[in-house]
């Protein structure tokens, strides 16, 4: 008996994966706690090399002391460092947070800009952070957020051959409908945490196994024409 299964094209596969992820994780929302765009920007900067859970433990005290861009811009940076110390790389994060808020105050009237090009000028802000802020603070899907989970799963699912986040994002933007760019990332992150872990992915429990070129179940052999 021939157990070989032919997998759909990349485009077909990405849309089917999206449908299944929506069913698996219907309430996928940003897991960072914030009240304003500035607070989301700060929380996202803090989330680099740190869990969202840890960030959410730090930000209540930080935002109670410094709730907006002007207060962060004029803060004693050592106080910011103390408040964010447990997120790791705290000196660099504190410096970038203050410098970004100073630019927001001096160049953007105290409000977080809503254009990718302007956001990327802020210290400590690359496309990952900018995509999160635009999508969740302003409802603007300007790109696909690519973190380590999205990178790993996009490669395993055969949707990109690249290791560079920018190239991965470009591939995903071509494959996915723009309204789903950000919720794709969140759902893929959920799936990466729960099932498709970096070590020992639980292929036997994965609902994407039949369309995944990297599935390790011995009875499934897959081919791709994507």
């Amino acid at each position: 008996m021939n157990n070989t299964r032919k997998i759909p094209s990349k485009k077909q596969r990405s849309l089917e994966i999206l449908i299944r992820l929506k069913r698996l994780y219907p309430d996928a929302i940003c897991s960072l706690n914030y009240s304003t765009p500035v607070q989301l920007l700060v929380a996202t900067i803090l989330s680099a090399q740190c869990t969202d859970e840890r960030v959410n433990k730090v930000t209540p005290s930080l935002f109670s002391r410094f709730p907006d861009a002007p207060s962060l811009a004029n803060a004693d940076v050592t106080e910011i460092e103390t408040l964010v110390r447990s997120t790791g790389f705290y000196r660099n994060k504190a410096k970038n947070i203050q410098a970004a808020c100073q630019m927001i105050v001096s160049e953007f009237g105290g409000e977080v800009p809503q254009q990718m090009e302007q956001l990327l000028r802020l210290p400590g802000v690359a496309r990952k952070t900018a995509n999160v802020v635009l999508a969740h603070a302003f409802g603007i899907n300007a790109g696909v957020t690519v973190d380590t989970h999205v990178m790993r799963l996009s490669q395993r699912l055969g949707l990109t051959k690249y290791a560079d986040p920018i190239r991965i994002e470009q591939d995903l933007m071509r494959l996915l409908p723009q309204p789903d760019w950000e919720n794709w990332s969140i759902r893929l992150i959920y799936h990466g945490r729960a099932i498709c872990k970096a070590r020992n992915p639980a292929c036997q429990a994965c609902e994407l196994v039949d369309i995944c070129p990297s599935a390790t179940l011995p009875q499934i052999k897959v081919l791709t024409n994507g």
Side-chain angles (χ1 to χ4, degrees):
M1 181 177 177
N2 186 355
N3 289 328
T4 300
R5 299 182 183 181
K6 192 174 184 180
I7 295 184
S9 68
K10 282 184 183 179
K11 183 73 170 181
Q12 294 170 319
R13 190 162 66 252
S14 64
L15 296 177
E16 178 61 25
I17 292 167
L18 178 62
I19 290 170
R20 297 188 192 187
L21 290 175
K22 286 183 176 182
R23 184 176 68 245
L24 289 169
Y25 311 103
D27 300 318
I29 59 173
C30 179
S31 56
L32 294 169
N33 295 333
Y34 64 95
S35 298
T36 66
V38 168
Q39 291 183 2
L40 176 58
L41 173 67
V42 170
T44 308
I45 291 174
L46 291 174
S47 70
Q49 305 296 314
C50 181
T51 65
D52 290 353
E53 181 181 10
R54 168 53 55 185
V55 172
N56 288 338
K57 290 180 179 178
V58 165
T59 49
S61 296
L62 177 66
F63 295 152
S64 175
R65 182 75 177 87
F66 307 111
D68 52 28
S71 60
L72 284 162
N74 294 307
D76 182 340
V77 72
T78 60
E79 188 173 356
I80 300 176
E81 290 176 359
T82 299
L83 290 168
V84 306
R85 180 183 294 267
S86 65
T87 66
F89 305 98
Y90 64 94
R91 287 194 177 91
N92 194 51
K93 289 179 180 180
K95 180 185 71 174
N96 284 334
I97 286 169
Q98 181 162 69
C101 287
Q102 288 171 344
M103 184 178 288
I104 288 170
V105 170
S106 64
E107 298 192 25
F108 302 109
E111 302 293 332
V112 175
Q114 299 185 33
Q115 296 181 3
M116 175 66 74
E117 295 77 10
Q118 294 174 333
L119 278 170
L120 293 177
R121 291 177 53 209
L122 300 177
V125 176
R127 282 194 64 92
K128 174 187 168 184
T129 297
N131 280 329
V132 170
V133 172
L134 287 173
H136 297 288
F138 304 115
I140 300 170
N141 284 313
V144 179
T145 300
V146 178
D147 76 342
T148 54
H149 292 290
V150 175
M151 182 183 303
R152 181 177 72 254
L153 270 67
S154 296
Q155 292 167 339
R156 285 180 176 173
L157 290 165
L159 303 181
T160 185
K161 64 182 180 181
Y162 297 110
D164 174 58
I166 299 298
R167 301 291 293 273
I168 293 172
E169 181 183 8
Q170 291 170 348
D171 279 348
L172 295 175
M173 288 169 68
R174 284 190 288 267
L175 292 171
L176 299 163
Q178 185 170 358
D180 291 301
W181 283 353
E182 184 58 24
N183 67 53
W184 161 273
S185 297
I186 295 178
R187 290 183 166 98
L188 215 59
I189 290 168
Y190 283 11
H191 197 65
R193 289 173 178 165
I195 302 294
C196 195
K197 300 179 181 182
R199 297 182 180 179
N200 301 318
C203 295
Q204 72 282 359
C206 182
E207 295 197 30
L208 306 178
V209 67
D210 61 308
I211 52 173
C212 177
S214 303
T216 57
L217 291 180
Q219 70 270 28
I220 294 181
K221 298 178 181 179
V222 293
L223 298 173
T224 178
N225 62 3

